[in-house]
Amino acid sequence: MTQKSPQTPDPRKIIPIHIAPQAPCCAPPSEADHGHEEGHIDACCGPATQAAQVVSASFAPPEAPVDAAKVRYRIEQMDCPTEERLIRNKLEPMPGIVRLDFNLIGRELTVYHRLTDPQPVEEALTAVGMAPRLLEAGQRPTALPPALPMRARLWLVVSGVAAVAAEASAWITGNEHHPLGALLAVVAILTSGLPTLKKGWIALRHFTLNIYFLMTLAVGGALLIGRWSEAAMVVFLFALAEAIEALSLERARHAIQSLSALAPDTAHVWLGSNWVSQPVEQVKVGARVRVRAGERVPLDARITQGQAALNEAPITGESLPVDKQAGDTLYAGTIVTNGVLEATVTAAANDSTLARVARAIQEAQSQRAPTQRFVDQFARYYTPIVVLLALATALLGPMFSSQGWLHWVYQALVMLVIACPCALVVSTPVTVVSGLAAAARRGILVKGGAHLEGGRLLKAIALDKTGTLTHGKPALTLVRSLGALSDTEALRLAASLDRHSAHPVAQAVVQAWQARAEGQPPLSDVTAFHSLHGLGVHGDIDQQTWHLGNHRLLEDLGLCSPQLEAQLAQIEQTGQTALILSNPAGPQALLAVSDTLRPESIEAVHQLKALGIHPVMLSGDNALAARHVAQQAGIDDARGNLLPEDKLKAIEDLIREHGQVGMVGDGVNDGPALARAHIGLAMGAAGTATALEAADVAIMDDDPRKIGTFVRLSHRTATVLKQNIALALGIKIVFFALALTGHATLWMAVFADMGASLIVVFNGLRLLRFKD
């Protein structure tokens, strides 16, 4: 990925952020404001909610060209870069064509154009033998036919038997021109070579130097000089190699389809008085659906009734079931492992989280990674140069050696077979797609090969604190009795008061009590309850007035003391919210609430350091709170009190200091910094349209350890890409040397070309088995 200068933000990524009107839950608490300025945490307005309320700072792939219409085709004959180059040569010079996006694995072509009618596009594709089929906007892709149907397999077997018999006839009789051998060779060519010869003729008509043209030329030349059996063997080996390659690519395609075709086609919908099975495309937002144990959730929805455990691995990559109850979100494609749920649909089928993931994967396949762009440019010059070299060999060979012209024409034909850079060109898309699929299986959505390759280049990663390293919501961290009350009784009284409040800090106290309430007395009734804005709450329990609030409330009540001041200062220095439970007799207990560190964060930071990446924490919280969390996580560089523009400046400083920099965040305040970083990673992106659409890399759950997984997968992908390029070029060089010295044969050349293609394809597919 090309490094951007610190002074020039990427215009594709920086887009103004527009904040939507705040929902009622984001208003200042009116019931019980615990009022601690520094430690205040609003769970309702947490990062995920903020992100959902924003029209994103988009740093997605380039948008469609302005004023360009889009048309999408399924082209079943298009399954390798050879067909892509043929289509580009045909369509790109046409007036009105703006951009072509290829998805070779899915055999889809998207054409951006400024034509009044796209009919000329279809006619041009038909002229080059591509037989396009129009896909309507939003249409779910249908399953592709088998890569190698049974009829094709039978013809391949017949061709193989005939080719081997032709070679045997030539060897036994010692005569390449024996009628039986010639007949067998013709059978082999007709049963497996006609598709190749047809494509070669199309390439010749459109002045395209591709493998089919070169193979046709080589086979025709071999027949002209009387090498009938060898021509038959070349045709069969080429067809066999293409079949194996097609099966290998089909495996990569199935890996992608398994990620994007998980939602069922129908849903159980309540219509009037009974449950009816209905196609998901017809189910409207707001409809009531039912999902039973063992079934997949058909659409994104919010639970209205029931409890169940769900396997969310298809979305988040997390293998452990997640317990869900009324009010929780369901994602299309996830599996109910037990129980029965009723839910209200929140998104149409084509706008579900799973559908957005599928679209993102499809868009990612159509983008060229840096290595792929380099290979394509290399191949553009490589093939003509080798063809000229083959021509020179045929013409000049007889002049500088004692071998006759037939020998050197034969060696030139060998070089023509080696000339097409199929192995080199096919190595990159298969490897990148396999890497994208491996990431998606782990709940990491990478928005293109450029980002997949760029992860290995990162030298520093800035991490937002709230919601990334921490849980993003308050939790009780301390209960300390100051008098005769036990810690448990103090918490019970505090929870009795706070259950009447909707404030996030109050709810943290109540939830802490609920977690340990088993076997304890129930919460007490509270009378004369009042909220004290900015201070806390008070109410009567068993005819005694109790106060629960912050430091200022204690001072207003005149109950503060130097000893308690010291304890409060110690708590507040760590960025926690301190609460004091008191009655007329004085302070009775001290409680603390704070946003707690995720248990995975320590390991995540350790992994980044092991990868040679400098971790930095950026936070809008006060510097003391930021430093405290950073120390817990193992981060030495922590920066607090940062506004969005401060985070942006921090990223620019890190770029100047380290070079390639990543940013991890999940809130609206992270938008500018995420956009400026070379790679922006959005945490907790499942169900959040903004994060899915905006992120370079979207981590679907909240596990920060997946940052390291992404970087390691990037390193592994780069390694496989380098291996494939070295293998493809190395094999070519060896056989070029053999051809120039007169020791290569046509069937050896086929092995060199298609054999290398198979090697790099299988090597690329190894990424599907990536283990972290």
Short mmCIF file of all heavy atoms in Angstrom, two decimals, residues 56 83 108 189 208 238 251 255 300 313 465 474 476 504 519 610 633 643 651 673 683:
data_model
loop_
_atom_site.label_atom_id
_atom_site.label_comp_id
_atom_site.label_asym_id
_atom_site.label_seq_id
_atom_site.Cartn_x
_atom_site.Cartn_y
_atom_site.Cartn_z
N SER A 56 -21.22 8.15 8.06
CA SER A 56 -19.83 7.87 8.37
C SER A 56 -18.84 8.79 7.71
O SER A 56 -19.03 9.29 6.63
CB SER A 56 -19.53 6.43 7.93
OG SER A 56 -18.16 6.24 7.84
N GLU A 83 -9.40 -14.47 -19.55
CA GLU A 83 -10.68 -13.91 -20.02
C GLU A 83 -10.82 -12.46 -19.60
O GLU A 83 -11.38 -11.64 -20.35
CB GLU A 83 -11.85 -14.73 -19.47
CG GLU A 83 -12.05 -16.07 -20.14
CD GLU A 83 -11.25 -17.18 -19.50
OE1 GLU A 83 -10.61 -16.93 -18.46
OE2 GLU A 83 -11.26 -18.29 -20.03
N GLU A 108 -18.36 -12.60 -12.05
CA GLU A 108 -19.23 -11.44 -12.24
C GLU A 108 -18.41 -10.26 -12.75
O GLU A 108 -17.25 -10.07 -12.36
CB GLU A 108 -19.93 -11.06 -10.94
CG GLU A 108 -20.99 -12.06 -10.51
CD GLU A 108 -21.75 -11.60 -9.29
OE1 GLU A 108 -21.65 -10.40 -8.93
OE2 GLU A 108 -22.46 -12.42 -8.68
N ILE A 189 -7.59 -34.45 -29.97
CA ILE A 189 -7.73 -33.00 -30.16
C ILE A 189 -9.20 -32.60 -30.21
O ILE A 189 -9.61 -31.60 -29.60
CB ILE A 189 -6.99 -32.56 -31.43
CG1 ILE A 189 -5.48 -32.73 -31.24
CG2 ILE A 189 -7.32 -31.11 -31.79
CD1 ILE A 189 -4.68 -32.55 -32.50
N THR A 208 -5.43 -10.44 -29.43
CA THR A 208 -5.08 -10.61 -28.03
C THR A 208 -4.11 -11.77 -27.88
O THR A 208 -4.42 -12.91 -28.29
CB THR A 208 -6.33 -10.88 -27.18
OG1 THR A 208 -7.22 -9.77 -27.32
CG2 THR A 208 -5.96 -11.03 -25.70
N PHE A 238 -3.09 -29.82 -21.49
CA PHE A 238 -3.61 -28.47 -21.26
C PHE A 238 -5.05 -28.53 -20.73
O PHE A 238 -5.41 -27.83 -19.77
CB PHE A 238 -3.55 -27.65 -22.54
CG PHE A 238 -4.02 -26.24 -22.38
CD1 PHE A 238 -3.21 -25.28 -21.77
CD2 PHE A 238 -5.27 -25.85 -22.82
CE1 PHE A 238 -3.64 -23.97 -21.61
CE2 PHE A 238 -5.71 -24.54 -22.66
CZ PHE A 238 -4.90 -23.61 -22.06
N ARG A 251 -13.11 -24.38 -5.36
CA ARG A 251 -12.96 -24.50 -3.91
C ARG A 251 -12.87 -23.12 -3.25
O ARG A 251 -13.49 -22.88 -2.22
CB ARG A 251 -11.70 -25.32 -3.59
CG ARG A 251 -11.50 -25.51 -2.10
CD ARG A 251 -10.23 -26.29 -1.81
NE ARG A 251 -9.94 -26.31 -0.38
CZ ARG A 251 -8.80 -26.71 0.14
NH1 ARG A 251 -7.84 -27.14 -0.65
NH2 ARG A 251 -8.61 -26.69 1.44
N ALA A 255 -15.57 -21.34 -0.63
CA ALA A 255 -15.17 -20.75 0.65
C ALA A 255 -15.81 -19.39 0.85
O ALA A 255 -16.25 -19.04 1.94
CB ALA A 255 -13.64 -20.63 0.72
N ASP A 300 -32.04 -9.72 10.28
CA ASP A 300 -31.67 -8.97 11.48
C ASP A 300 -32.95 -8.59 12.22
O ASP A 300 -33.93 -8.14 11.61
CB ASP A 300 -30.90 -7.70 11.11
CG ASP A 300 -29.46 -7.98 10.73
OD1 ASP A 300 -29.09 -9.17 10.66
OD2 ASP A 300 -28.71 -7.02 10.51
N ALA A 313 -20.95 -17.46 15.23
CA ALA A 313 -19.69 -17.63 14.50
C ALA A 313 -19.78 -17.17 13.05
O ALA A 313 -18.80 -16.61 12.53
CB ALA A 313 -19.25 -19.09 14.57
N LYS A 465 -9.45 3.98 23.73
CA LYS A 465 -9.61 3.31 25.03
C LYS A 465 -11.01 2.75 25.20
O LYS A 465 -11.20 1.53 25.30
CB LYS A 465 -9.30 4.28 26.17
CG LYS A 465 -9.48 3.65 27.57
CD LYS A 465 -9.14 4.61 28.68
CE LYS A 465 -10.28 5.59 28.94
NZ LYS A 465 -11.46 4.94 29.57
N PRO A 474 -19.93 1.16 32.30
CA PRO A 474 -19.43 1.14 33.67
C PRO A 474 -19.70 -0.18 34.38
O PRO A 474 -20.67 -0.87 34.09
CB PRO A 474 -20.20 2.29 34.33
CG PRO A 474 -21.45 2.41 33.53
CD PRO A 474 -21.08 2.04 32.13
N LEU A 476 -19.09 -1.94 38.55
CA LEU A 476 -18.66 -1.71 39.93
C LEU A 476 -17.30 -2.35 40.16
O LEU A 476 -17.09 -3.52 39.85
CB LEU A 476 -19.69 -2.30 40.89
CG LEU A 476 -19.47 -1.99 42.37
CD1 LEU A 476 -19.83 -0.53 42.66
CD2 LEU A 476 -20.28 -2.91 43.26
N PRO A 504 -26.51 5.26 33.83
CA PRO A 504 -25.60 4.12 33.64
C PRO A 504 -24.80 3.76 34.88
O PRO A 504 -24.57 2.58 35.15
CB PRO A 504 -24.69 4.58 32.50
CG PRO A 504 -25.49 5.58 31.75
CD PRO A 504 -26.33 6.28 32.77
N GLY A 519 -29.08 -15.89 47.59
CA GLY A 519 -28.95 -16.21 49.02
C GLY A 519 -28.93 -14.99 49.92
O GLY A 519 -28.78 -15.13 51.13
N ALA A 610 4.94 -8.23 20.16
CA ALA A 610 5.69 -9.37 19.61
C ALA A 610 5.84 -9.26 18.09
O ALA A 610 6.79 -9.77 17.52
CB ALA A 610 5.00 -10.68 19.98
N ALA A 633 -3.05 -2.47 30.64
CA ALA A 633 -2.98 -3.17 29.36
C ALA A 633 -1.54 -3.44 28.92
O ALA A 633 -1.32 -4.23 28.00
CB ALA A 633 -3.72 -2.38 28.29
N LEU A 643 -9.49 15.59 21.94
CA LEU A 643 -10.65 15.84 21.10
C LEU A 643 -10.43 15.15 19.75
O LEU A 643 -9.32 14.71 19.46
CB LEU A 643 -10.84 17.34 20.91
CG LEU A 643 -11.13 18.15 22.18
CD1 LEU A 643 -11.12 19.64 21.86
CD2 LEU A 643 -12.46 17.74 22.79
N ILE A 651 -2.32 10.87 15.13
CA ILE A 651 -2.05 9.93 14.04
C ILE A 651 -1.00 10.49 13.09
O ILE A 651 -0.07 9.79 12.67
CB ILE A 651 -3.35 9.60 13.28
CG1 ILE A 651 -4.32 8.81 14.17
CG2 ILE A 651 -3.04 8.82 12.01
CD1 ILE A 651 -3.82 7.45 14.59
N ALA A 673 -9.46 10.22 12.83
CA ALA A 673 -8.20 9.47 13.03
C ALA A 673 -8.23 8.17 12.24
O ALA A 673 -7.22 7.78 11.63
CB ALA A 673 -7.99 9.20 14.51
N MET A 683 -13.88 -1.71 15.58
CA MET A 683 -14.18 -2.78 16.53
C MET A 683 -15.69 -2.91 16.70
O MET A 683 -16.43 -1.93 16.64
CB MET A 683 -13.55 -2.47 17.89
CG MET A 683 -12.04 -2.52 17.90
SD MET A 683 -11.39 -4.19 17.70
CE MET A 683 -12.01 -4.96 19.19
#
